[in-house]
Amino acid sequence: MLNTKSEETLAPVMSAYGRFPITLEKGKGSYVWDTEGTKYLDFTAGIAVLALGHVPDAVEAALKKQLGLLWHCSNLYHIGPQEKLAKMLTERTCCDQVFFCNSGAEANEGAIKLARRYAASVLNKPEGHIITFNHSFHGRTLATMAATAQEKIQSGYGPVVPGFKYLPYNSKDSVADIASDDQCIAVMLEMVQGEGGVIPADKTWVQQLSAICAEKGIPMIVDEVQTGMGRTGTLFAYEQYGIEPDILTAAKALGSGIPIGAFMAKKEISKLMTPGSHGSTFGGNPFATAAGVATIQAFDQQDVLAQCTSNTAYFHEKLTALKESYPKQLTAIRGLGLLIGVETKAPAIDLVNELREKHHVLILTAGKYVLRILPPLVTDETEIDAFIAAFDAVLKER
């Protein structure tokens, strides 16, 4: 038995996060306010969650309505908003069925389980492995941590769940390796490695992977937890690559900040999810799926994808000009849509802190020397100009 409660004074919340020294209290659109009343331009969007900005009117109205109807009833009963959201997703993707959960990690966990069930039931390879790629990020549960090919994520949590093999991202050698690997039962990848440095997948490479998966009869799993829901300019990034995943995951922006995740699949695979094969107490509850329905409706009504495309072109033009002005400080601009990475000479966290402290602008890092910029898709040119002006001022001061 462990010792009794320590007399050491600790914060009641575990210190699993390195938090910035502000407490946010409210938000609207592209802005948040802290408890001191300071207003910040938020180009983190809750780490790619708030595609429609903070507290979007249409989603807020739908949630207020749902609060007066039903919050939870379990998946032992049919749930109207869940079925409506599933239909919306299957109509907009290459998938036939959806399973709802509560987060991106759970969505990827479910996708892994589904791929393994297919391997055991159809491929007759219950001991095979799933290919993932170096610098990927798929979550922090035991299985998704094992799928994540980053030692820093796995450190201290061994033994790591077996059944994964890591290969180089965007490498033709990986395609050859998979082609000759008789124990490969699935391939899992991100269209843009967000946590791994904002690295877009090469289109030709992805198409080669897809062709190999089709040839071998194994599922291709595309993790769109961060890239999905319009972040890259299409509802899902795979649409820009000329492929169709067999299993697709989503979360983050699907509920505009209300926790929800989903994994989807084509019917040949999804039909293996029979009663008792998987489950979730809270997954797909009426409140979360009402948020998802309202979010997709807002995408359609506000033409959000067109806004994202326009904002992307404008933002990249401004960032490119800034890079040309500061070639010794900014070395590369990359990404897809409004998932933007800026490679820097100085430690990225220093720039993040300076932007927050001096100019009240919030952004993130994606590695030691990469800034990750994630504005709401519905931001506007005025807000982009404000960000560029603040970034320019920080670079000029260095």
Side-chain angles (χ1 to χ4, degrees):
M1 189 176 199
L2 295 176
N3 293 333
T4 56
K5 186 174 179 180
S6 171
E7 294 181 4
E8 181 183 358
T9 301
L10 295 172
V13 177
M14 290 188 188
S15 302
Y17 299 96
R19 299 180 192 270
F20 296 114
I22 56 175
T23 300
L24 301 180
E25 187 173 47
K26 67 175 182 177
K28 191 66 179 175
S30 297
Y31 295 93
V32 289
W33 288 260
D34 67 14
T35 50
E36 304 299 316
T38 304
K39 180 181 178 181
Y40 297 84
L41 177 62
D42 181 10
F43 273 19
T44 74
I47 315 182
V49 167
L50 304 165
L52 301 175
H54 290 273
V55 196
D57 292 342
V59 181
E60 181 185 15
L63 292 178
K64 284 181 177 179
K65 180 180 179 181
Q66 190 63 43
L67 277 172
L69 295 173
L70 185 66
W71 301 5
H72 177 76
C73 64
S74 94
N75 283 290
L76 296 176
Y77 309 96
H78 291 283
I79 299 172
Q82 180 184 124
E83 293 175 4
K84 186 172 183 178
L85 181 56
K87 188 172 188 293
M88 287 175 150
L89 289 169
T90 54
E91 287 175 345
R92 290 163 171 79
T93 67
C94 61
C95 297
D96 297 300
Q97 291 186 297
V98 185
F99 183 98
F100 291 106
C101 50
N102 307 287
S103 68
E106 286 182 57
N108 285 336
E109 186 93 13
I112 291 165
K113 285 182 69 174
L114 184 54
R116 296 212 66 83
R117 192 168 179 86
Y118 185 79
S121 303
V122 178
L123 302 179
N124 196 28
K125 293 181 180 180
E127 304 300 323
H129 51 249
I130 296 173
I131 299 292
T132 63
F133 297 93
N134 295 340
H135 309 298
S136 59
F137 183 83
H138 298 294
R140 293 181 184 272
T141 63
L142 284 173
T144 58
M145 178 188 74
T148 295
Q150 295 192 56
E151 186 178 351
K152 68 180 183 181
I153 301 297
Q154 300 173 357
S155 179
Y157 296 106
V160 175
V161 173
F164 298 93
K165 177 180 174 181
Y166 313 133
L167 294 176
Y169 191 69
N170 279 340
S171 168
K172 63 180 180 181
D173 293 338
S174 297
V175 178
D177 191 311
I178 295 167
S180 62
D181 186 347
D182 291 335
Q183 289 304 305
C184 174
I185 61 168
V187 174
M188 184 175 190
L189 76 159
E190 302 155 277
M191 295 291 95
V192 181
Q193 289 191 331
E195 297 285 339
V198 192
I199 310 294
D202 176 77
K203 186 174 183 177
T204 299
W205 178 71
V206 169
Q207 291 178 344
Q208 290 171 342
L209 287 180
S210 179
I212 290 296
C213 287
E215 182 180 322
K216 294 172 74 71
I218 61 174
M220 183 180 218
I221 307 169
V222 175
D223 173 354
E224 295 236 30
V225 168
Q226 185 163 182
T227 53
M229 293 305 296
R231 176 56 53 182
T232 67
T234 48
L235 193 63
F236 290 95
Y238 80 80
E239 300 172 63
Q240 300 175 48
Y241 283 81
I243 64 157
E244 288 191 357
D246 302 290
I247 304 174
L248 175 67
T249 65
K252 286 192 179 285
L254 182 56
S256 290
I258 303 304
I260 186 171
F263 63 94
M264 303 162 253
K266 294 183 175 179
K267 59 186 177 183
E268 293 80 5
I269 303 174
S270 66
K271 67 183 181 182
L272 297 174
M273 279 295 176
T274 53
S277 60
H278 194 49
S280 172
T281 296
F282 294 110
N285 69 72
F287 191 72
T289 49
V293 168
T295 297
I296 292 181
Q297 288 175 337
F299 264 72
D300 293 343
Q301 293 165 4
Q302 299 174 31
D303 206 1
V304 171
L305 295 179
Q307 290 183 63
C308 180
T309 298
S310 174
N311 286 328
T312 296
Y314 187 76
F315 209 161
H316 278 264
E317 177 188 339
K318 295 294 183 178
L319 284 170
T320 299
L322 207 58
K323 177 180 173 293
E324 290 172 355
S325 297
Y326 299 97
K328 294 182 179 180
Q329 297 190 57
L330 307 181
T331 57
I333 297 166
R334 57 176 178 259
L336 199 61
L338 290 176
L339 172 48
I340 302 169
V342 178
E343 194 170 311
T344 64
K345 285 284 190 181
I349 191 62
D350 292 347
L351 294 167
V352 168
N353 287 333
E354 289 174 32
L355 279 165
R356 185 190 71 256
E357 293 167 0
K358 298 178 180 180
H359 301 280
H360 301 151
V361 170
L362 306 180
I363 59 169
L364 303 168
T365 64
K368 189 173 182 180
Y369 295 102
V370 180
L371 298 171
R372 182 168 33 159
I373 306 169
L374 299 161
L377 307 188
V378 294
T379 191
D380 59 33
E381 292 184 1
T382 300
E383 292 165 350
I384 292 171
D385 287 343
F387 170 83
I388 292 294
F391 197 11
D392 181 56
V394 164
L395 294 171
K396 192 174 294 182
E397 291 167 0
R398 295 182 71 81

